[in-house]
Amino acid sequence: RKNTKRVPSFRKLLRTSQIKLDNKLKNKQYKQKSAAKKYRKEQKKLREAVRDAISRKPFPLEECKKKQVAKKWEEKEEEEALPLDMMDEDDLKLMEDLAQKASFLTRDLSSNEPVHIKKRKHESVIEKYEKVPRRLQTEPEKELIHLLPIKDKSGIIPQAVEKPVLNVAHDEEEDAEDMEEAEDFNEEPLPVLTPEEMAAQRRQKLQERKMHIAALASAILSEPDSNMKKLKELRAMLMEQDPNVAVIVRKLVMVSLMEIFKDIAPSYKIRPLTEVEKATKVKKETQKLREFEEGLVSQYKFYLENLEQTIKDWKQRKLKKSNVISLKAYKGLAEVAVKCLCELLVALPHFNFHNNIIVLIVPLMNDPSKMISELCVEAVKKLFKQDKLGYASLGVVKVISGLVRGRNYDVRPEVLKVFLHLRIKEVELQKDSEDIAPKKKFMTYKEKRKNLSRMQRKWKKAEEKLERELLEAEASESKEKKLKLHTETLNIVFVTYFRILKKAQKSPLLPAVLEGLAKFAHLINVEFFDDLLIVLHSLIASGDLSYRESLHCILSAFHILSGQGDVLNIDPMKFYTHLYKTLFSLHAGGTNEDIGIVLQCLDVMFAKRRKQVSQQRALAFLKRLSILALHVLPNSSVGILATNRVFMQTFPRMDLLLDNESQGSGIYLPELDEPEHCNAQNTALWELHLLQRHYHPTVQKFASHLIAGAPTEGSGVLPLDLSQRSATELFETYCMKGMTFNPPVASVAPRRKDTFLQRDSFVDEELNKQLQQHIIETGAHKPLDFAKHLKESSLA
């Protein structure tokens, strides 16, 4: 028969009474509660049964049966027993005969069963009791351990085992015998080895360890996810105990593990799993990956702890109890540990425990050991240069700031100079910059409904979905995030700089602070400009700064004014005067390197502020720089002449100094320190004629170019390789630090001269004899004493 019952439709289900649905829900909940209650009752009964079974003292079932039979027999006797004087002699005799039989003793007389029934069973019970050994009263009771009971046809049989008692005295005797045997074995004399044999044995051990390290490392690199045990074994070799090879083996293991972790570490940070994730069932591949990541993080952590402990032991001059490695050898181990940490700092900035490595490395930048300090400084510089986003740089800058403040500004200048290598070119200068930047905005549902048709809404929805997926899949970090990190980093840098300017103006850190301000001054907030310029001018006026430090002050001030400082009405005439006054402090000696900073100052002061500079000031600087070009090295002369070329092309009427006739009233005052009032327009650049005869060909080209009026085209124009470079680039290009001449000097073939074989043919015979005699006498004399006349004069 066909089933005509139809499945209720959704509309019919909607019409179902709410009361009926509530009743169904209540019935379902009641059933669940009753089932749970029933389950709890069963569990409670089971627990009580187990508790009772544990608390009761076990006894054989035969005894229980015997007690029950005896109890019943006593009750029967009480009811039916007759006094002996009322019994016949025959009945009494029968009872005595029955008492001699075992079946009578074990039989339940109240039952109607025949005597021979269950005979075999009762006999086995008696035999079992007979086999139980008798105990004396003096024997102590043994403690029993109750086991699970066994059930057979006869019923439940409890199980118990005696608790074993340790024979302490016997064990102590055995240990003493073993110790005596070991002492006897140790008393045997070891074979005495010669130094050659010891060296050969050491080489053999070292070769074995190297082969073992290489085998483990190659196995780990081939299949890292399935060789975590081998990684653990390799890390355990950091605790090598053989004193002959311990130092070298530990160094090799440190370096090997460092290279292994650099290769097998993933390109993301591994986070610990939550409890929910651990409880969730996953695929075998996922579980294998999780185990690999967990093992990798744990081994990497232990490895970093070992490196840290090695450095701490060396710093504290502390030896281990085993004394496997001498205190002197610990320095080499610590240096290798620091190298490994520096490599990991640069190679794995994205991986776990990177902040821990930063905390270890940054204090070592201030270490008394020059080698370790330089290693750490170079590692931090590399990290700054390759850090594009700014996470790692922010972490390092925070730790350095805390170190400088914690040591009360008593750190090496190199610690602060690493800030110059930060890759920060722009920051968020305004708080509302986020509002100004255009953002991608998606339309709301109401806007779509109002402005778009049905088909357009459909397409718009698909487009927005695709755009969202593309934004999520984009690997590069957003520019806003980068700017935010750079702003936070630079704020910490400026806080450190301002603290030193305020509290430690005579500190050796001041040059590094001024150099840093010169680099990042254009990124400082406008609110600090007035106060900072006042501080910089007071530092220059105090006279406590060196010439290089004062140049950094000037450079910082003009960087501030060339950026956002354009809106401020500040006249930096004091800084122009100071630079003009101190230009003649430069020469071809030690201060020649400071000319690079002077060229940067001139570029900021004149080329970028040409509208604020008067003609008199430009003429005075042009004349004084031309004089300075005669007193410095060729690379400095090239840089200064390149700056003069910019002056002549930027400012009008600079060709006045190429004419012999004076312009206006007054005469040139070269000793006056005020560039506005020295009458530079009444002199001429006669220094260019001397520079035309300079031994350096590039200086000659620049001098000829300037005499021609610095033309941009025509016969006196400069070659492209010179005209397209800045003054600072030319200064560095023609530098003579490596004792090399640029351009190289052309080799000249020596002229061939006639040689005379007979030297003595031109000398008279008598004169020749006197010369020979004088040579012999001079050869016999003592070495010359050039200080002889000084000694005689001091005695006189």
Side-chain angles (χ1 to χ4, degrees), residues 463-478:
E463 284 177 7
E464 288 179 358
K465 185 179 179 183
L466 181 61
E467 285 176 4
R468 285 194 182 96
E469 289 176 356
L470 288 172
L471 285 172
E472 289 174 2
E474 190 178 0
S476 60
E477 295 288 342
S478 64

Side-chain angles (χ1 to χ4, degrees), residues 206 209 213 234 236-242 245-257 303 307 310 313 320 322-325 330 333 336-337 340:
L206 199 56
R209 300 290 197 284
I213 291 170
L234 183 59
M237 291 181 73
L238 283 171
M239 298 291 111
E240 177 65 43
Q241 297 299 320
D242 192 343
V245 294
V247 178
I248 297 178
V249 169
R250 290 188 184 189
K251 288 181 181 179
L252 291 172
V253 174
M254 281 180 188
V255 177
S256 303
L257 282 170
Y303 171 63
L307 296 181
T310 303
D313 291 344
K320 297 291 184 183
S322 57
N323 289 333
V324 175
I325 298 175
Y330 249 99
L333 268 179
V336 175
C340 294

Side-chain angles (χ1 to χ4, degrees), residues 594-637:
D594 296 338
I595 291 179
I597 307 172
V598 171
L599 296 175
Q600 293 178 32
C601 291
L602 291 169
D603 182 50
V604 180
M605 294 165 74
F606 288 93
K608 295 181 179 178
R609 292 175 58 86
R610 55 182 176 271
K611 293 182 180 179
Q612 288 90 355
V613 178
S614 64
Q615 184 183 353
Q616 293 291 334
R617 198 181 302 177
L619 287 169
F621 269 93
L622 180 61
K623 175 62 179 175
R624 185 157 283 200
L625 286 171
S626 300
I627 298 171
L628 181 63
L630 296 171
H631 304 287
V632 290
L633 292 179
N635 62 328
S636 302
S637 298

Side-chain angles (χ1 to χ4, degrees), residues 527-545:
E527 299 172 0
F528 303 109
F529 280 3
D530 288 334
D531 296 335
L532 193 55
L533 287 172
I534 291 168
V535 170
L536 292 175
H537 184 261
S538 64
L539 285 172
I540 293 173
S542 66
D544 297 332
L545 303 181

